[in-house]
Every structure is written in C-alpha cells, then in structure tokens.
C-alpha cells in the first residue's frame, strides 16, 4: 500500500474521519435498528476511522464490508476494546499478576488474551495499563502493575510482546496501547480523575519508566490520561505528548485520547468550548479523538482558519493509515471477524489451565502460623460473601467475560474436600445504595438480613475443624471511578470475623480485592491470610489448590499494604527525611538499619506516626510467604571498589530451602544511593529472579550490576531529562522482601584520566 499516494487522494474531511473513533454504543448493538443504519451511513461517508468491537461479529463484518466496498477510498476500519486481563478467559487482575514477578507468565496470559481477543475482531486493545500506583484508595490500582517502576517496565515489555509478537499482520495478534500517559496513578487523595501534581524528577524516575519500556518494545499506541498534570490536562499537554513522547522518545505510533477526554477539556477549565478543546488536543499531539467527536466537528474549521496546518492533519492521518497497514488490514480487512473461528479458540482447556496456573501464582500468602496447608480430611466451614460468588471472581474490566465462566471457591473446595459446610455469613455491603452502584456493572450484590447470616455462619463454624472465611470487596469496589476512603473490609464483614474468632476454631482468611486492604485487625486475629485478589475464570480451583498444598504460594506483593488507610499513599521506595526515626530532637538517624560496622544503610520508613505506632507498612512491597522456608546466606560482592562506567559488579547470595516441600522464591535486588545530588529513595528494586528449590536444595543467585542500574534522572523540565551516574558509595541489598535484606556496601568511582 502506497500510503502517501492514498493520502494525496483523500479529502480533508476523509482524513479527519480517520482520526474519529465514535461510540458504537449510540447505535443499537444488534446491528438491526435505525441507529445502526445511521452508523452505516457515516462509515459510507468516510466519517469514521475506528470503532469499538463491542458488537456481534456478523455486524462488525458488515460494517467492515461497507468501509471497504462503499466508503470513498475503501479504507478498512479497525476495531478496539479493553482487553485488560484476558478476554473471555479471564486471568488475574494486572495488580495480581504483577505479584507473580514472572515476565514469562505475564506474556503467556497476554498471548492467550490476544488469541481470544483477535478472534473476536479486536485489532487494538486498550492495554497495558502502566500507571505506577502508590495509593490504595485509587480504584484503578487494580488495573496497574503496582507501585514500582522496575516491575512496571518488566510488565510493560511482557504485555506488549504477548499482544503484538513481532508481526502484527498475524491474525492472532492485537496492537497494544500503553495507558494512561502519564501520572494518572498519582491522582490526589486517590480520587479518580483528580489532578496529579508531579515534578519532572518523579515523572522520569517513577512514572515514565514503564511507558518508556513499552515504547522501546514497539507498542503501537499510547492513550493519554484523563487527568490534569501539574496544571495542564494531559490531553492538552504539548510538552508531554509532542516534545517528550514524539520528539525525544521518537514514538511514531498512535496517540489516542481517553474516552471523551478532548471535550472534557472544557470541564477542566482550559478551553472555552469544544472547538478550542479540539485545537488544544490536536496541537498537543493527540491523533485520535475517542468518542467525543470534537475533531470531526471542529478540525475542518480550524484548518480553514489557518490555525491548524493541513500537513499536520496529514501526519496524524498517515499514522492511522500506517497502523492499519501494520495490522495487515489493507490485505485482510476481515481478520478476526469469523464467528466459527472465534468459537474454536475461546475458553479452551489450555487457556483455562493457564488461568488456573496464573491465579495460583498471583495469590500472596500474607501470614501463616502453620494453619496452612489444610489436610484433606479436615471438616471445613467455608464462610463469607465471596465464597459462593461467580461474577466477582473476574474482577473489574472483564468486559467480555460471562459470570457462568468462573469457578467459585465453593466449587473448588468441593472438588478437593468433598463435603464442605457453607454459609454466606455477611453481605459484601449492607447499604442498598452502594449495592445498587456495584450492581450497575453487571454483578449481583444481594443484601440479606445480617443477623440471620451471622447465625447461619456461626452454626456452620461450630461444626467444623477449621474455618476458611472468604471476605473482601466486590469486583467493582475497584476499577474506574471506584475510590474508597477507607481500606477496611466493607459492610458487616468485620462483625462476621469477630463472631468466627469467638468460636475458638482455627481461622484462615482468603481476602479478595483489587487493592491492598488495611488488615491490621485481621492480622492479629487470623491464623493465616491468603490474599487472592480476583483471580479470573479459575479462581476457585486455584485457591483450593493453594489451601490444600497442591500448589505452593510463591507471589510477593507488588504494592505495599498499609496498617491503616490514613497511611496512603505509601511506597517502600520513599525518599529519606531529615529525621529518619521520626523523632524531634538530636537523635537523627536513630531508626536506620545498620551494617556490621554500625553505619546506617537502608533507612526504615520515615513518615510519621509518632503518636500512633509504627509508620511501617503492615506487609511491605516484596513480602509473600511460602510453605517452604527459604534461608538467605550473606550477600557477596565480587569486589568492593569499582572504577568507571563500564565496570560490572556481581552480587550473589545463596538461598536454601529449609522447608519440607518444594517451592519457588522470588529473590530481590535493591540498591540505595545514600549520598547523591538529589535525595534518592531509601532503596529501589533493580532486579529479581524466581528460583525453584526442592527441600534441602540450595542455589547461588547472582545479579549483574552496571552503572546503568545506578543512574537516575535529574530533570528540571519534563522534556529535558538528564540521566546521571554519580560515583560514590552504594548499598546493595538482596533478600526475600523489601524489608528483609542482607546488605553490602560498594564504592563505585569514576576517576577522570
Ligand atoms: C478508560 C480507559 C478505557 C476507555 C475505553 C475509559 O473510561 O479510562 O482506560 O480504555 O474508557 O473503554
């Protein structure tokens, strides 16, 4: 396809049509009614370049036929959808999957999602979501890879690879779209859509690395955040989109607005009307207007008035046409629009097996006093509002899933234990207004009389050897526009737990949510806690596998768990303060971790709780237990001094499985830079390795460290990052969690010769 020749033959209106991605939902989704006739007429007129794939395949095929056979230049449409953690087969939430610390697993789930999604006509998926999230109140942390930029970057590469492979013309691939560029996860107070006032320093060191990784991996599209970034909504942010993403990073794919975000510039208070909004977004660098139709309505006049040059419209249109070419649409416009093929690749046994594996590898064992694993001959009371829930297991953003596809925990337990004593025990929420809001998203949150539920639960619990309580949030407690101000268990679930504790029986909690919860009370009272997030289609089987020991927990937290909601936002990688021990007075440094010589190494969490107990997280980033017991030897460095930016340091540790069962451990490498020209985080994750050890087996794990790992960005302006290596002393830490590290110091010089 000669794109420039095609472009030369198109009218201005047609070129603008390619930038228009309207809402298919305005048409009736059967494809039969008058609204669909209207949509078809618009495609025929060349007004539309892309559409959501949320409609029956035969109708999508018919829309494509109209575009190809009847629109002025026969340019095919591309179809889009949110494929966030699986398409019809649902895998764990992205935040959960990140806890597996397993790029290969992430890539395999993305591959399986692409096979199913592409066979449902989806050519561009609105994923991966790469917003570093440090505030558990923010409902969209569920969609993210968590709090850490390094984990985010690993996740980004794996997702892009799984979706796109290296040839997008293959009919089993989808173009990926990194979102939401950038800093959306730092919405103030975790309130969705809120302003994020982020310095260029934090942008480059924390927010942007996952996006940069996606761009370097060849991601086809980038979606712009809804929010206002330090005063300028991202949709109108030329320095962010044009100067940094386009020019500095050289990204030549599609830049897409979020849903109606261009017209929302009026609500943001930076545009007087939609025409100004269209100008701002286009000038900033947004190619495609998602749903708002401001471009279609206003770009023609803006070109006529000379405020936008037609060659800039050409450039945006060329990028859309190139994307279509990359997808092979000019040769095969009907890719993925075949109902029979879709049925053959959907919800296959292999995809289900992968979902079961992924769910088991994503659950984090937060606490275990030995109550787990459970012997198969125990009488189990399975209690709680999530024990027999189907739709909830899929988590937020599972748009193509059907509730009947998922396995409940009760079903998983019955398959393992035979008879199980069951009771709902409590409502997820007791407030009918909140239940109605949760139900809006297609789940069933029923409200029963709490006292009756409690009585049934205690009756069942008394008959059992051990209680397993499945408690937490509903799936739509997280996701878009789902902020919470408290992270405790909703509704009367705590009351249920108090009653269960009072029975004196061993109590195992299976907690579920799309965010870290504040579980201090639960930690004090339960014998074991497995955090299961929302595991997708095979949740019930995976949890049963773990609880009975058929699978061994191996996941580690990708987001810290606070002791109390008021600690949010929080991260293991916070910068030090002037008073590390949170003391007023002279004993500064009192609570730092010290090495054998008594010198401070990694400082402990510093933010204040002077009157209320520890400021540390309840469960830190990187924490996660196993049924095995991993013992770490001392950290060894192959040298204690290095010279030059080309030097290489090897840090090693020996890990031994002292437990009775085989297991996997995620060995983590952290680096701290105690003295630099900017105050650096107390420690930052710089590598991890997942190793499998049989009982009694030990293995040496080595990390190769280069000056690249010590570099950071000293940006004063967003589009002018300056990456620096500052010689000096560094602390190298290796261990099984961000708070449980063996450390060694190294001096890295860079003597000018
Ligand atoms: C969300 C995006 C999503 C888009 C299309 C928006 O509301 O912010 O993440 O991709 O809708 O569904």
């Amino acid at each position: 396809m000669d794109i420039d020749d095609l472009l030369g033959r198109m009218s201005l209106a047609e070129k603008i049509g390619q930038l228009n991605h309207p809402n298919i939902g305005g048409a009736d989704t059967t494809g039969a009614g008058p609204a669909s006739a209207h949509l078809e007429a618009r495609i025929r007129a060349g007004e539309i370049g892309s559409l959501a794939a949320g409609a029956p395949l035969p109708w999508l095929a018919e829309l494509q036929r109209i575009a190809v056979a009847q629109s002025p230049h026969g340019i095919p449409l591309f179809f889009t959808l949110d494929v966030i953690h699986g398409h019809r087969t649902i895998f764990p939430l992205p935040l959960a999957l990140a806890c597996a610390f397993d790029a290969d697993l992430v890539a395999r789930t993305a591959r399986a999602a692409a096979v199913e999604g592409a066979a449902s006509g989806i050519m561009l998926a609105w994923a991966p979501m790469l917003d570093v999230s440090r505030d558990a109140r923010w409902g969209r942390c569920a969609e993210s890879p968590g709090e850490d930029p390094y984990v985010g970057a690993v996740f980004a590469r794996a997702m892009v690879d799984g979706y796109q492979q290296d040839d997008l013309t293959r009919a089993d691939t989808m173009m990926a779209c990194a979102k939401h560029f950038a800093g959306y996860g730092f919405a103030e107070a975790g309130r969705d859509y809120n302003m994020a006032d982020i310095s260029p320093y934090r942008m480059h060191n924390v927010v942007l690395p996952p996006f940069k990784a996606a761009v370097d991996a060849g991601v086809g599209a980038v979606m712009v955040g809804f929010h206002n970034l330090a005063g300028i909504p991202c949709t109108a942010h030329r320095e962010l989109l044009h100067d940094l993403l386009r020019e500095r990073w050289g990204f030549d794919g599609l830049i897409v607005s979020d849903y109606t975000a261009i017209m929302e510039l009026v609500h943001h208070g930076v545009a007087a009307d939609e025409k100004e909004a269209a100008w701002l977004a286009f000038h900033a660098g947004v190619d495609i207007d998602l749903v708002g139709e401001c471009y279609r309505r206003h770009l023609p006049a803006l070109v006529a008035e000379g405020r936008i040059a037609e060659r800039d419209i050409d450039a945006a249109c060329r990028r859309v046409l190139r994307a279509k070419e990359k997808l092979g649409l000019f040769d095969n416009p009907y890719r993925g629009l075949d109902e029979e093929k879709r049925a053959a690749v959907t919800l296959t046994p292999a995809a289900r097996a992968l979902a079961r594996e992924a769910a088991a590898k994503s659950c984090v064992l937060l606490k275990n006093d030995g109550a787990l694993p459970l012997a198969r001959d125990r009488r189990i009371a399975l209690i709680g509002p999530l024990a027999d829930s189907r739709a909830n297991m899929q988590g937020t953003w599972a748009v193509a899933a059907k509730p009947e596809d998922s396995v409940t925990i009760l079903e998983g337990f019955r398959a393992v234990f035979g008879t199980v004593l069951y009771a709902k025990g409590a409502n997820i929420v007791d407030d009918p207004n909140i239940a109605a809001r949760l139900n809006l998203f297609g789940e069933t949150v029923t409200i029963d009389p709490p006292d009756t539920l409690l009585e049934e639960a205690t009756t069942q619990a008394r008959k059992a050897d051990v209680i397993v309580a499945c408690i937490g949030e509903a799936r739509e407690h997280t996701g878009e526009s789902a902020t919470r101000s408290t992270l405790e268990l909703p509704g009367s679930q705590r009351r249920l737990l108090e009653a269960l504790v009072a029975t004196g029986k061993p109590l195992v909690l299976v907690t579920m949510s799309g965010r870290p919860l504040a579980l201090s009370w639960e930690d004090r009272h339960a014998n074991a806690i497995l955090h299961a997030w929302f595991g997708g289609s095979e949740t019930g089987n995976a949890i049963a596998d773990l609880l009975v020991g058929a699978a061994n927990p191996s996941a580690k937290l990708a987001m810290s768990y606070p002791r109390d909601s008021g600690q949010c936002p929080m991260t293991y990688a916070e910068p030090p303060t002037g008073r590390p021990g949170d003391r007023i007075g002279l004993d500064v440094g009192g609570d730092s971790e010290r090495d054998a010589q008594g010198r401070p190494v990694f400082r402990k969490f510093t933010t204040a709780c002077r009157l209320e107990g520890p400021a540390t997280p309840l469960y830190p980033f990187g924490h996660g237990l196993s049924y095995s017991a991993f013992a770490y030897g001392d950290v060894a460095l192959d040298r204690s001094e290095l010279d030059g930016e080309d030097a290489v340091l090897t840090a090693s540790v020996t890990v031994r499985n002292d437990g009775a069962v085989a297991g996997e451990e995620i060995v983590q490498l952290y680096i701290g830079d105690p003295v630099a020209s900017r105050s650096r985080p107390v420690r930052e994750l710089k590598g991890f390795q997942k190793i499998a050890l049989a009982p009694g087996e030990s293995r040496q794990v080595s990390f190769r460290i280069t000056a690249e790992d010590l570099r950071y960005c000293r940006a004063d302006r967003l589009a002018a990052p300056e990456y620096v290596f500052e010689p000096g002393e560094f602390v190298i830490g290796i261990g099984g969690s961000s708070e449980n590290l063996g450390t060694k110091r190294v001096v890295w010089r860079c003597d000018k010769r």
Side-chain angles (χ1 to χ4, degrees), residues 82 126 140 179-180 223 226 258-259 397 480:
D82 289 278
W126 303 128
R140 301 201 78 170
K179 70 185 188 185
H180 306 85
M223 183 186 278
F226 276 129
D258 204 344
Y259 201 95
W397 283 111
E480 191 169 341

PDB file of all heavy atoms in Angstrom, residues 82 126 140 179-180 223 226 258-259 397 480, ligand 1:
ATOM      1  N   ASP A  82     -11.273  -2.966  25.397  1.00  0.00           N
ATOM      2  CA  ASP A  82     -10.435  -3.127  26.585  1.00  0.00           C
ATOM      3  C   ASP A  82     -10.221  -4.609  26.857  1.00  0.00           C
ATOM      4  O   ASP A  82     -11.143  -5.311  27.287  1.00  0.00           O
ATOM      5  CB  ASP A  82     -11.122  -2.474  27.796  1.00  0.00           C
ATOM      6  CG  ASP A  82     -11.110  -0.964  27.685  1.00  0.00           C
ATOM      7  OD1 ASP A  82     -10.096  -0.348  28.021  1.00  0.00           O
ATOM      8  OD2 ASP A  82     -12.118  -0.397  27.198  1.00  0.00           O
ATOM      9  N   TRP A 126      -6.960  -1.777  24.394  1.00  0.00           N
ATOM     10  CA  TRP A 126      -6.602  -0.637  25.266  1.00  0.00           C
ATOM     11  C   TRP A 126      -5.847  -1.156  26.486  1.00  0.00           C
ATOM     12  O   TRP A 126      -6.313  -1.077  27.619  1.00  0.00           O
ATOM     13  CB  TRP A 126      -7.838   0.135  25.694  1.00  0.00           C
ATOM     14  CG  TRP A 126      -8.713   0.677  24.611  1.00  0.00           C
ATOM     15  CD1 TRP A 126     -10.056   0.502  24.485  1.00  0.00           C
ATOM     16  CD2 TRP A 126      -8.333   1.537  23.517  1.00  0.00           C
ATOM     17  NE1 TRP A 126     -10.530   1.178  23.382  1.00  0.00           N
ATOM     18  CE2 TRP A 126      -9.494   1.817  22.769  1.00  0.00           C
ATOM     19  CE3 TRP A 126      -7.124   2.080  23.089  1.00  0.00           C
ATOM     20  CZ2 TRP A 126      -9.495   2.611  21.622  1.00  0.00           C
ATOM     21  CZ3 TRP A 126      -7.107   2.865  21.949  1.00  0.00           C
ATOM     22  CH2 TRP A 126      -8.283   3.133  21.239  1.00  0.00           C
ATOM     23  N   ARG A 140      -8.245   2.371  40.479  1.00  0.00           N
ATOM     24  CA  ARG A 140      -7.639   1.827  39.268  1.00  0.00           C
ATOM     25  C   ARG A 140      -6.291   1.174  39.524  1.00  0.00           C
ATOM     26  O   ARG A 140      -5.666   0.676  38.588  1.00  0.00           O
ATOM     27  CB  ARG A 140      -7.553   2.912  38.187  1.00  0.00           C
ATOM     28  CG  ARG A 140      -8.921   3.462  37.831  1.00  0.00           C
ATOM     29  CD  ARG A 140      -8.975   4.137  36.483  1.00  0.00           C
ATOM     30  NE  ARG A 140      -9.033   3.185  35.395  1.00  0.00           N
ATOM     31  CZ  ARG A 140      -9.276   3.512  34.119  1.00  0.00           C
ATOM     32  NH1 ARG A 140      -9.494   4.772  33.795  1.00  0.00           N
ATOM     33  NH2 ARG A 140      -9.304   2.594  33.179  1.00  0.00           N
ATOM     34  N   LYS A 179      -1.254   2.843  28.481  1.00  0.00           N
ATOM     35  CA  LYS A 179      -2.085   3.918  29.044  1.00  0.00           C
ATOM     36  C   LYS A 179      -1.833   4.012  30.539  1.00  0.00           C
ATOM     37  O   LYS A 179      -1.326   3.058  31.134  1.00  0.00           O
ATOM     38  CB  LYS A 179      -3.561   3.648  28.735  1.00  0.00           C
ATOM     39  CG  LYS A 179      -4.155   2.448  29.502  1.00  0.00           C
ATOM     40  CD  LYS A 179      -5.570   2.180  29.040  1.00  0.00           C
ATOM     41  CE  LYS A 179      -6.228   1.134  29.935  1.00  0.00           C
ATOM     42  NZ  LYS A 179      -7.553   0.733  29.474  1.00  0.00           N
ATOM     43  N   HIS A 180      -2.156   5.095  31.203  1.00  0.00           N
ATOM     44  CA  HIS A 180      -2.709   6.356  30.709  1.00  0.00           C
ATOM     45  C   HIS A 180      -1.594   7.376  30.872  1.00  0.00           C
ATOM     46  O   HIS A 180      -1.217   7.673  32.008  1.00  0.00           O
ATOM     47  CB  HIS A 180      -3.925   6.779  31.521  1.00  0.00           C
ATOM     48  CG  HIS A 180      -4.992   5.708  31.600  1.00  0.00           C
ATOM     49  ND1 HIS A 180      -4.990   4.696  32.534  1.00  0.00           N
ATOM     50  CD2 HIS A 180      -6.100   5.496  30.843  1.00  0.00           C
ATOM     51  CE1 HIS A 180      -6.051   3.921  32.359  1.00  0.00           C
ATOM     52  NE2 HIS A 180      -6.744   4.371  31.345  1.00  0.00           N
ATOM     53  N   MET A 223      -2.360   5.761  25.047  1.00  0.00           N
ATOM     54  CA  MET A 223      -3.571   6.513  25.409  1.00  0.00           C
ATOM     55  C   MET A 223      -3.213   7.551  26.476  1.00  0.00           C
ATOM     56  O   MET A 223      -2.477   7.262  27.418  1.00  0.00           O
ATOM     57  CB  MET A 223      -4.654   5.581  25.946  1.00  0.00           C
ATOM     58  CG  MET A 223      -5.958   6.295  26.280  1.00  0.00           C
ATOM     59  SD  MET A 223      -7.170   5.221  27.084  1.00  0.00           S
ATOM     60  CE  MET A 223      -7.883   4.388  25.684  1.00  0.00           C
ATOM     61  N   PHE A 226      -6.659  11.001  31.611  1.00  0.00           N
ATOM     62  CA  PHE A 226      -7.762  11.950  31.769  1.00  0.00           C
ATOM     63  C   PHE A 226      -7.362  13.189  32.577  1.00  0.00           C
ATOM     64  O   PHE A 226      -8.006  14.222  32.497  1.00  0.00           O
ATOM     65  CB  PHE A 226      -8.870  11.294  32.618  1.00  0.00           C
ATOM     66  CG  PHE A 226      -9.835  10.415  31.888  1.00  0.00           C
ATOM     67  CD1 PHE A 226     -10.090   9.130  32.353  1.00  0.00           C
ATOM     68  CD2 PHE A 226     -10.551  10.869  30.796  1.00  0.00           C
ATOM     69  CE1 PHE A 226     -11.030   8.317  31.728  1.00  0.00           C
ATOM     70  CE2 PHE A 226     -11.487  10.066  30.165  1.00  0.00           C
ATOM     71  CZ  PHE A 226     -11.732   8.781  30.633  1.00  0.00           C
ATOM     72  N   ASP A 258      -8.256   9.628  25.832  1.00  0.00           N
ATOM     73  CA  ASP A 258      -9.147   8.725  26.552  1.00  0.00           C
ATOM     74  C   ASP A 258     -10.590   9.103  26.188  1.00  0.00           C
ATOM     75  O   ASP A 258     -10.847  10.106  25.507  1.00  0.00           O
ATOM     76  CB  ASP A 258      -8.880   8.758  28.065  1.00  0.00           C
ATOM     77  CG  ASP A 258      -9.355   7.453  28.739  1.00  0.00           C
ATOM     78  OD1 ASP A 258     -10.140   6.698  28.115  1.00  0.00           O
ATOM     79  OD2 ASP A 258      -8.958   7.180  29.885  1.00  0.00           O
ATOM     80  N   TYR A 259     -11.501   8.290  26.662  1.00  0.00           N
ATOM     81  CA  TYR A 259     -12.923   8.349  26.320  1.00  0.00           C
ATOM     82  C   TYR A 259     -13.522   9.737  26.595  1.00  0.00           C
ATOM     83  O   TYR A 259     -13.611  10.140  27.759  1.00  0.00           O
ATOM     84  CB  TYR A 259     -13.617   7.302  27.181  1.00  0.00           C
ATOM     85  CG  TYR A 259     -14.946   6.793  26.734  1.00  0.00           C
ATOM     86  CD1 TYR A 259     -15.054   5.626  25.990  1.00  0.00           C
ATOM     87  CD2 TYR A 259     -16.118   7.454  27.089  1.00  0.00           C
ATOM     88  CE1 TYR A 259     -16.292   5.126  25.614  1.00  0.00           C
ATOM     89  CE2 TYR A 259     -17.356   6.964  26.710  1.00  0.00           C
ATOM     90  CZ  TYR A 259     -17.431   5.793  25.976  1.00  0.00           C
ATOM     91  OH  TYR A 259     -18.650   5.292  25.597  1.00  0.00           O
ATOM     92  N   TRP A 397     -13.002  -4.660  34.860  1.00  0.00           N
ATOM     93  CA  TRP A 397     -12.530  -4.655  33.477  1.00  0.00           C
ATOM     94  C   TRP A 397     -12.401  -6.062  32.896  1.00  0.00           C
ATOM     95  O   TRP A 397     -11.349  -6.451  32.392  1.00  0.00           O
ATOM     96  CB  TRP A 397     -11.196  -3.923  33.339  1.00  0.00           C
ATOM     97  CG  TRP A 397     -11.322  -2.430  33.364  1.00  0.00           C
ATOM     98  CD1 TRP A 397     -10.885  -1.613  34.367  1.00  0.00           C
ATOM     99  CD2 TRP A 397     -11.905  -1.570  32.384  1.00  0.00           C
ATOM    100  NE1 TRP A 397     -11.173  -0.310  34.061  1.00  0.00           N
ATOM    101  CE2 TRP A 397     -11.801  -0.252  32.850  1.00  0.00           C
ATOM    102  CE3 TRP A 397     -12.526  -1.793  31.140  1.00  0.00           C
ATOM    103  CZ2 TRP A 397     -12.284   0.848  32.139  1.00  0.00           C
ATOM    104  CZ3 TRP A 397     -13.009  -0.702  30.435  1.00  0.00           C
ATOM    105  CH2 TRP A 397     -12.875   0.591  30.938  1.00  0.00           C
ATOM    106  N   GLU A 480     -12.511   1.817  37.399  1.00  0.00           N
ATOM    107  CA  GLU A 480     -12.627   3.251  37.142  1.00  0.00           C
ATOM    108  C   GLU A 480     -13.632   3.899  38.083  1.00  0.00           C
ATOM    109  O   GLU A 480     -14.700   3.339  38.360  1.00  0.00           O
ATOM    110  CB  GLU A 480     -13.036   3.474  35.678  1.00  0.00           C
ATOM    111  CG  GLU A 480     -12.912   4.925  35.301  1.00  0.00           C
ATOM    112  CD  GLU A 480     -13.056   5.164  33.809  1.00  0.00           C
ATOM    113  OE1 GLU A 480     -12.901   4.216  33.025  1.00  0.00           O
ATOM    114  OE2 GLU A 480     -13.334   6.311  33.448  1.00  0.00           O
TER     115      GLU A 480
HETATM  116  C1  LIG B   1     -10.853   4.407  30.489  1.00  0.00           C
HETATM  117  C2  LIG B   1      -9.841   3.739  29.583  1.00  0.00           C
HETATM  118  C3  LIG B   1     -10.537   2.819  28.633  1.00  0.00           C
HETATM  119  C4  LIG B   1     -11.567   3.595  27.849  1.00  0.00           C
HETATM  120  C5  LIG B   1     -12.276   2.788  26.778  1.00  0.00           C
HETATM  121  C6  LIG B   1     -12.024   4.992  29.718  1.00  0.00           C
HETATM  122  O1  LIG B   1     -13.049   5.359  30.574  1.00  0.00           O
HETATM  123  O2  LIG B   1     -10.210   5.395  31.252  1.00  0.00           O
HETATM  124  O3  LIG B   1      -8.896   3.055  30.365  1.00  0.00           O
HETATM  125  O4  LIG B   1      -9.607   2.207  27.776  1.00  0.00           O
HETATM  126  O5  LIG B   1     -12.520   4.096  28.749  1.00  0.00           O
HETATM  127  O6  LIG B   1     -13.101   1.825  27.330  1.00  0.00           O
END
